[in-house]
Amino acid sequence: MNDSALLSVGLPIALAIIMFGLGLSLTPGDFRRVVRTPRAVFVALTLQIVVLPMIAFGLVLVADVDPLIAVGVMLLAASPGGTTANLFSHLFRGDVALNVTLTAVNSVLAAVSIPLITNAAISYFGAGDTLGLQFGKVVQVIAIVLVPVGIGMLVRSRSATFAARADRPVRIFSIVVLVMVSVGAILGERENIADYLREVGVVVTLFCCASLCLGYLGARVFKLGQARAIATSMEVGIHNTTVALTIALSVLDNTTVAIPAAVYSIVMYVLATAFGFLITRSRAARPAAPHDVTT
């Protein structure tokens, strides 16, 4: 499976199309909005870039998982929020504009955070003989994450009509690719799948629950308001697992490293839906607090 054209060529192309679609949904104003909402952006990005990798690291140490699985969990933790977070935020009355801004900023920062965190994990867990993100591969990660986004933004600036028409097909394509790659990654390790699922299933489920809860509670602690708390929760809890899968399968060329992201891509939709209903229903059952106004 690792040597197939589907993974070595097809998957990076598929991710490029997905990131191009993300670029079609962004404008320079989405980045400028950071200045107008600094506290919300700071809270979300601190959770995403600093706190989540620490939680993931703690989970893999406690669970004592296979070193390659541990690297996969850290790669997952380093991956940015996905555009699907915008959809979930919309469904549960979150601040979608904040999600768009966070996705934009996160995608840029991920070009740096992914290589740093992944290489640190490879070194710590002793996987250096098997894996490695050398300079050339780091450039490859930056290229597949940032270049298509930039092209998409350029196309949108020239033709907003085309960007609007392409949005739905690209979203559908993203879901199809994610399902295919996730299933393929799991089947690719079918000899060890029972052990890996048992090993990583609890870890990624706990990681997803922690991500969703911390995103929401962190925003509430900083009194960002209910809409922004929901947006932060979905942004922090719903990762762009296609990025993690592409790096694991095409850049690192290792199916085992892809297992955590493949399992997470299934778990996160179930848990995000349940969490969304939980916080919206519990909120509707009691009167709004004074600081629930969006700030």
Side-chain angles (χ1 to χ4, degrees):
M1 181 177 177
N2 286 0
D3 297 328
S4 70
L6 174 64
L7 294 183
S8 60
V9 179
L11 186 52
I13 291 175
L15 178 63
I17 294 172
I18 292 169
M19 300 306 287
F20 171 74
L22 169 61
L24 290 177
S25 69
L26 300 176
T27 67
D30 297 322
F31 292 91
R32 289 195 294 268
R33 199 179 295 119
V34 173
V35 179
R36 299 198 296 272
T37 57
R39 184 167 48 159
V41 173
F42 174 78
V43 170
L45 293 182
T46 299
L47 289 171
Q48 184 91 48
I49 296 174
V50 179
V51 178
L52 288 193
M54 292 172 63
I55 291 174
F57 184 66
L59 286 171
V60 295
L61 286 182
V62 170
D64 192 26
V65 298
D66 178 273
L68 293 177
I69 291 290
V71 172
V73 173
M74 297 305 297
L75 171 59
L76 168 66
S79 299
T83 53
T84 311
N86 304 354
L87 173 60
F88 273 80
S89 185
H90 172 71
L91 290 175
F92 295 108
R93 301 179 184 276
D95 186 342
V96 179
L98 175 59
N99 281 107
V100 173
T101 296
L102 291 173
T103 299
V105 177
N106 231 335
S107 297
V108 173
L109 294 178
V112 177
S113 62
I114 288 176
L116 283 177
I117 293 172
T118 304
N119 267 336
I122 290 171
S123 175
Y124 183 87
F125 293 107
D129 294 337
T130 308
L131 308 173
L133 275 178
Q134 295 83 16
F135 178 76
K137 291 186 177 181
V138 170
V139 172
Q140 187 179 345
V141 171
I142 295 172
I144 62 178
V145 171
L146 289 187
V147 173
V149 173
I151 295 173
M153 291 182 67
L154 179 61
V155 170
R156 173 171 175 150
S157 69
R158 301 292 178 87
S159 177
T161 303
F162 172 79
R165 284 202 310 265
D167 180 67
R168 183 177 175 82
V170 170
R171 286 180 184 272
I172 294 173
F173 176 79
S174 302
I175 294 171
V176 171
V177 168
L178 180 58
V179 171
M180 289 177 60
V181 174
S182 298
V183 172
I186 292 172
L187 292 179
E189 288 288 331
R190 49 186 170 273
E191 299 89 354
N192 306 307
I193 191 61
D195 292 336
Y196 283 149
L197 286 179
R198 186 165 51 248
E199 193 173 28
V200 80
V202 174
V203 171
V204 298
T205 298
L206 289 174
F207 179 65
C208 187
C209 290
S211 300
L212 291 165
C213 291
L214 280 172
Y216 183 79
L217 295 175
R220 300 303 289 164
V221 166
F222 282 87
K223 301 182 179 180
L224 294 178
Q226 175 73 350
R228 289 188 176 175
I230 293 171
T232 302
S233 174
M234 296 305 168
E235 190 69 30
V236 172
I238 299 177
H239 290 258
N240 190 338
T241 49
T242 311
V243 171
L245 287 166
T246 302
I247 293 172
L249 295 172
S250 296
V251 180
L252 295 175
D253 192 24
N254 192 284
T255 309
T256 306
V257 175
I259 294 296
V263 176
Y264 195 90
S265 66
I266 299 168
V267 168
M268 70 179 180
Y269 290 118
V270 176
L271 293 180
T273 301
F275 187 78
F277 278 115
L278 176 65
I279 57 178
T280 51
R281 292 190 66 175
S282 64
R283 199 71 198 166
R286 59 191 176 90
H291 59 257
D292 276 348
V293 178
T294 301
T295 58

